[in-house]
Amino acid sequence: MHPSQDSSGRLLLSGNEAVALSALHCGVALGTGYPGTPSTEILEGFDALGGRAQWAPNEKVAAEVALGAAFARARVICTMKHVGLNVAADVLFTMTYSGVEGGYVLIVADDPGMASSQNEQDSRRYAEAAAAPMFEPADSQDAYDLLRTAFEVSERWHIPVLFRMTTRVCHSKSPVTPRFPLGVAPAETGAPAPEFVRNIAGRVMVPGHAKPAHRRLRAKLADLQAWNEAQGPNRIERRNAALGVITSGISYHHVREAAPDASVLKLGLSHPLPMKTIREFAASVERCVVVEENDPWLATACRAAGLAVEAKDDSIFRFGELNVDRVRRILARDSGPEPVPPRGRPPELCAGCPHRSSFEVLKELDCIVSGDIGCYTLAALPPIAAMDMMIDMGAAVGMGLGLRHVLPREQAKRVVSVIGDSTFLHGGLPGLVEMAYNPPATGHVLVILDNGTTAMTGQQEHPGTGRKLDGAATYQVSYEDMARAAGVKNVIVLNPVREKARFKELLSEALRKDELTVFIARSPCILAAGRIVAWQKERQAQEAAAAAEQGSCACGQDCACAGGADESNPVLNSPHEH
Amino acid sequence: MNIDSTSPINVRFAGLGGTGVIKASDIFADVVFRLGHTVKKAEVHGMSQRGGSVQSDIRFGPEVHSPMIPEGACDFLVVLESSQVDVVRGGLRPGGVLLTPADIDLAKLPTAKALNVAMLGRLSRCFDFPEQSWQDSLRANFPEKLHTANGKAFALGRGA
Ligand SMILES: Cc1ncc(C[n+]2csc(CCOP(=O)(O)OP(=O)(O)O)c2C)c(N)n1
Ligand code: SF4
């Protein structure tokens, strides 16, 4: 991270970079998460600044790792995009009951307008549903400052808190005056030293413990709400009393530009809402408008509290992100048609992308493709247009099985589930187990596209790459071993680019059989290929060196040469292929 | 350009993924920020590296609110890919400045990749910032082996 710095020490940071720096300055002991636009750069930035950051296989595991650390009193952040919170929701809804010892900030990045997501769900609803406090920064300075407040709240009330960013807050850059210089981890952060203190009734959420825990949680929220009214990170800016706007997040800035004379109530801690503050503000202005992106969450809450606030026309402005022009229209009660932005060129698979080759084979065999999320989803667009469905990460496997179960035989035989490597480890593994547990009568075919990286979100490592977030070597899981262990009979590894003809031949053979087959189509993402090849060489050299030290073959397998070098046998003295 | 006006100066870079839009906008933001202005910058990441349309907005001045330039309010529109000129032209305010690859003698570019730097050189003519500021930011944002080629590309655009 090398941000611009001006002579007064201000840094020009994206919201994600500001959160990463703030995490360092707050003494965060561990950052974990799963990549997802627009949240990905938080952990990458935290790592670049010297923080301890790691990718989990999915958001649920990340949230659980963070929870264990927070039970041990460590300060933690856990990052994900909005749909990731669906995966982690199971943890969220009960960890608010148990509470935490150390500060736990779960950073969730919403994507109003779906710049790169499959839906525009609104995480504020999770805050309310799971009874979690929710902070909403409006820009980079706000993100930097509010993260610290979020830890204070989390530690004071022993409650995990949500920190809701949005695409424009994550990716826009604006000046930040940090409390410490860039890259300096302060010696005194106030973070407590991790320690295990037993608290069975507080952390084992059986009904007998969870019932009082739920009451405790509601009491905490009531207390926090009172604090939020009195000294929460909310701000009233009194200007002209003719118009008052209640808002939060990036919308605050659009409002300031669209209506410079309006009085504004900017919410920084939007759950639990400081309803008394809101009521007083609304009463102090002649006209009070709620400006918020996506769902009418705030407006509905205000109206439920009996306030006569105006809201945006949701037949128009619920869809997509807001901007200055749209806020002007909302304030002018203009529900006329909006100008249509010019259509740019859509993205497509890179030239030479290995996914292209795989989908050409699927297309040539007229497969019904139950697909998934990743770069390869671009194969659903013309000219390839060879993916028939994509819903959520991991769904390729289950949806494919469902199709196979009910379609007439000749159609069922054409169904193939196709999933990327990172996506398979994220959400596809239980589907693999289901495939062997409830196999369709026609069998099934699963293709794992192993391009050696999480390409879609900018080439992150994952458990199948054998590298950690910071590039350090670690155990590399084997898809072929997992498929066999799950009970799949036919497991085939091939290169879909170099062995395209073979892929086509073996796939059509697999489609004819009423058996289960898993293909691992292994060929690196061309953007990551250089790094992958360099690491493979490094690993091989290390293995060879380690083997030479032990005087055995470097094959790493249980072969005849494992017992040691046989001076008389030149074949066994050199590493060989298996 | 009068930078003391209260409304911000709006500069948009546009092109396709891989044409150096983000890099050029980072350098421009760096130049302006180091000169002491308040700067905001907005762009949409995501699928851009796969050749789709990319835009990056930079706004600077004494006070900047939204990081996104309102409709038809660009003072400067720097387009790095000829095919995108007609797509993005509507973002320019009446009387705004449009800069396109046609403003550069492409035959004299040291490498095709350096077009974004040449366009920065062209843009630099529109502001009376010290040339050294541009040079410093260029150096800070590129590895040393590219400094010579970038120096040439920048000079080509600046008309030095
Ligand atoms: C629950 C959830 N988390 C994260 C994302 C963001 N995301 C979309 S695809 C993807 C992974 C893609 O990696 P991979 O499956 O290896 O395919 P590739 O892009 O490499 O082809 C991620 C992290 C998401 N859409 N949903
Ligand atoms: S980034 Fe990699 S996986 Fe994605 S389209 Fe390009 S080559 Fe394919």
Side-chain angles (χ1 to χ4, degrees):
Chain A
M1 203 163 127
H2 304 285
S4 306
Q5 192 159 9
D6 73 4
S7 52
S8 58
R10 289 191 313 171
L11 302 166
L12 187 61
L13 298 181
S14 70
N16 284 348
E17 290 168 337
V19 168
L21 185 61
S22 187
L24 189 80
H25 290 170
C26 288
V28 165
L30 178 67
T32 177
Y34 182 75
T37 313
S39 69
T40 313
E41 300 84 4
I42 298 172
L43 288 186
E44 291 176 335
F46 187 51
D47 169 66
L49 289 166
R52 179 168 168 195
Q54 52 197 41
W55 293 128
N58 69 27
E59 294 86 353
K60 178 175 186 288
V61 175
E64 290 157 348
V65 169
L67 181 58
F71 278 159
R73 253 208 242 156
R75 227 168 246 180
V76 289
I77 55 170
C78 181
T79 70
M80 59 195 66
K81 70 183 292 166
H82 61 341
V83 286
L85 193 50
N86 300 333
V87 180
D90 206 9
V91 200
L92 175 68
F93 277 72
T94 305
M95 73 182 179
T96 48
Y97 278 36
S98 68
V100 287
E101 291 304 311
Y104 185 152
V105 181
L106 194 157
I107 300 163
V108 56
D110 285 10
D111 190 14
M114 295 179 272
S116 46
S117 303
Q118 68 265 37
N119 74 25
E120 52 185 335
Q121 68 184 54
D122 191 327
S123 293
R124 294 176 301 170
R125 300 211 181 267
Y126 267 119
E128 191 180 0
M134 175 172 268
F135 290 84
E136 286 194 83
D139 56 32
S140 302
Q141 182 75 58
D142 217 15
Y144 179 88
D145 295 335
L146 272 183
L147 188 72
R148 186 149 170 253
T149 313
F151 277 116
E152 286 165 5
V153 164
S154 178
E155 284 170 15
R156 175 161 167 196
W157 279 277
H158 295 284
I159 191 169
V161 307
L162 293 170
F163 196 82
R164 177 185 184 242
M165 318 250 304
T166 56
T167 300
R168 294 298 182 172
V169 176
C170 291
H171 283 165
S172 297
K173 290 188 180 179
S174 54
V176 174
T177 306
R179 291 183 301 125
F180 304 96
L182 181 74
V184 169
E188 241 356 283
T189 58
E195 183 193 5
F196 182 74
V197 178
R198 176 161 288 151
N199 177 3
I200 293 175
R203 299 194 195 126
V204 180
M205 287 295 108
V206 292
H209 296 160
K211 284 174 192 172
H214 187 193
R215 291 179 187 279
R216 279 199 302 274
L217 170 59
R218 296 295 160 184
K220 283 182 194 180
L221 280 188
D223 198 35
L224 178 58
Q225 181 169 30
W227 177 86
N228 200 21
E229 303 278 13
Q231 45 187 310
N234 314 301
R235 189 167 74 227
I236 292 180
E237 300 173 2
R238 295 240 175 255
R239 292 185 199 87
N240 198 325
L243 173 64
V245 177
I246 307 170
T247 189
S248 65
I250 191 75
S251 304
Y252 163 77
H253 288 292
H254 303 327
V255 168
R256 287 290 293 117
E257 184 158 344
D261 296 332
S263 295
V264 175
L265 168 55
K266 173 190 177 295
L267 299 172
L269 175 55
S270 48
H271 187 258
L273 278 171
M275 201 44 90
K276 223 175 101 227
T277 308
I278 294 175
R279 187 184 302 278
E280 282 164 12
F281 177 77
S284 74
V285 293
E286 284 160 41
R287 177 183 171 216
C288 188
V289 185
V290 172
V291 174
E292 60 190 324
E293 287 181 312
N294 286 155
D295 290 358
W297 180 79
L298 187 54
T300 307
C302 291
R303 285 171 174 172
L307 305 185
V309 294
E310 245 182 77
K312 66 186 190 300
D313 180 346
D314 278 317
S315 70
I316 299 174
F317 299 108
R318 185 178 195 149
F319 309 97
E321 65 177 356
L322 295 184
N323 55 34
V324 175
D325 302 290
R326 297 189 94 194
V327 170
R328 277 199 190 107
R329 279 177 212 126
I330 290 169
L331 295 177
R333 301 188 186 108
D334 172 0
S335 292
E338 299 189 87
V340 186
R343 279 191 72 84
R345 192 204 283 179
E348 51 183 71
L349 292 170
C350 300
C353 173
H355 295 327
R356 192 184 296 273
S357 197
S358 294
F359 277 89
E360 280 164 3
V361 168
L362 291 158
K363 189 179 171 104
E364 284 162 25
L365 295 178
D366 194 23
C367 295
I368 296 171
V369 176
S370 172
D372 223 302
I373 313 186
C375 274
Y376 50 97
T377 311
L378 292 170
L381 308 177
I384 305 181
M387 185 185 287
D388 295 289
M389 58 206 74
M390 178 285 264
I391 302 293
D392 68 292
M393 287 185 73
V397 195
M399 294 188 304
L401 293 169
L403 289 163
R404 284 256 183 180
H405 286 315
V406 299
L407 281 175
R409 186 176 168 82
E410 68 281 7
Q411 282 189 356
K413 297 293 294 172
R414 289 163 49 206
V415 177
V416 179
S417 291
V418 181
I419 191 167
D421 49 356
S422 185
T423 304
F424 173 72
L425 294 171
H426 173 286
L429 258 173
L432 173 71
V433 176
E434 163 75 0
M435 177 167 151
Y437 181 52
N438 289 311
T442 57
H444 191 45
V445 176
L446 167 64
V447 178
I448 301 171
L449 302 169
D450 178 9
N451 63 353
T453 189
T454 317
M456 171 86 172
T457 42
Q459 303 156 47
Q460 288 73 32
E461 304 304 330
H462 62 68
T465 70
R467 295 280 160 174
K468 301 197 198 190
L469 185 145
D470 63 0
T474 184
Y475 183 75
Q476 183 172 18
V477 303
S478 156
Y479 311 104
E480 34 290 37
D481 289 352
M482 285 194 287
R484 285 189 202 104
V488 174
K489 197 167 146 197
N490 311 300
V491 179
I492 301 165
V493 183
L494 47 70
N495 183 316
V497 181
R498 274 189 245 144
E499 301 175 279
K500 194 173 172 188
R502 179 163 168 253
F503 186 17
K504 188 172 173 183
E505 190 182 310
L506 293 180
L507 180 57
S508 59
E509 192 182 312
L511 289 170
R512 278 195 300 275
K513 285 194 264 200
D514 291 345
E515 291 175 0
L516 301 179
T517 306
V518 169
F519 284 92
I520 293 126
R522 182 166 292 151
S523 182
C525 158
I526 56 162
L527 298 190
R531 190 179 65 217
I532 293 172
V533 170
W535 278 350
Q536 268 167 357
K537 283 198 183 129
E538 187 187 305
R539 190 182 280 262
Q540 277 162 5
Q542 277 166 1
E543 282 170 3
E549 209 158 86
Q550 288 179 3
S552 72
C553 162
C555 65
Q557 296 184 27
D558 203 9
C559 69
C561 57
D566 177 349
E567 304 266 318
S568 63
N569 187 333
V571 175
L572 293 188
N573 277 336
S574 60
H576 55 166
E577 286 183 29
H578 282 255
Chain B
M1 199 72 219
N2 175 17
I3 301 170
D4 296 327
S5 68
T6 46
S7 50
I9 308 252
N10 298 324
V11 182
R12 175 172 290 163
F13 290 81
L16 297 175
T19 54
V21 172
I22 304 292
K23 193 75 174 177
S25 63
D26 276 337
I27 293 167
F28 182 68
D30 188 52
V31 171
V32 182
F33 187 61
R34 282 174 200 264
L35 288 171
H37 297 286
T38 285
V39 180
K40 291 195 181 180
K41 180 174 191 287
E43 65 219 6
V44 177
H45 297 213
M47 312 274 270
S48 49
Q49 74 204 69
R50 278 139 224 120
S53 301
V54 188
Q55 280 189 5
S56 180
D57 287 2
I58 292 162
R59 315 187 72 196
F60 67 99
E63 196 181 35
V64 186
H65 291 299
S66 173
M68 297 134 77
I69 301 174
E71 289 157 19
C74 293
D75 299 297
F76 297 89
L77 180 57
V78 185
V79 191
L80 300 186
E81 161 67 44
S82 314
S83 69
Q84 295 298 295
V85 175
D86 285 335
V87 180
V88 299
R89 189 194 295 275
L92 205 58
R93 72 164 164 77
V97 175
L98 175 69
L99 300 176
T100 74
D103 294 309
I104 303 291
D105 184 352
L106 296 174
K108 292 206 184 124
L109 263 187
T111 67
K113 276 249 162 222
L115 174 66
N116 59 347
V117 176
M119 294 300 291
L120 281 171
R122 180 66 190 77
L123 181 66
S124 76
R125 280 162 51 182
C126 306
F127 298 93
D128 50 9
F129 302 153
E131 175 161 359
Q132 195 56 41
S133 307
W134 296 90
Q135 299 291 2
D136 290 348
S137 294
L138 278 173
R139 279 172 192 276
N141 276 281
F142 283 106
E144 206 177 323
K145 60 176 185 197
L146 297 176
H147 288 178
T148 318
N150 280 337
K152 283 187 194 150
F154 186 80
L156 178 68
R158 192 171 169 89

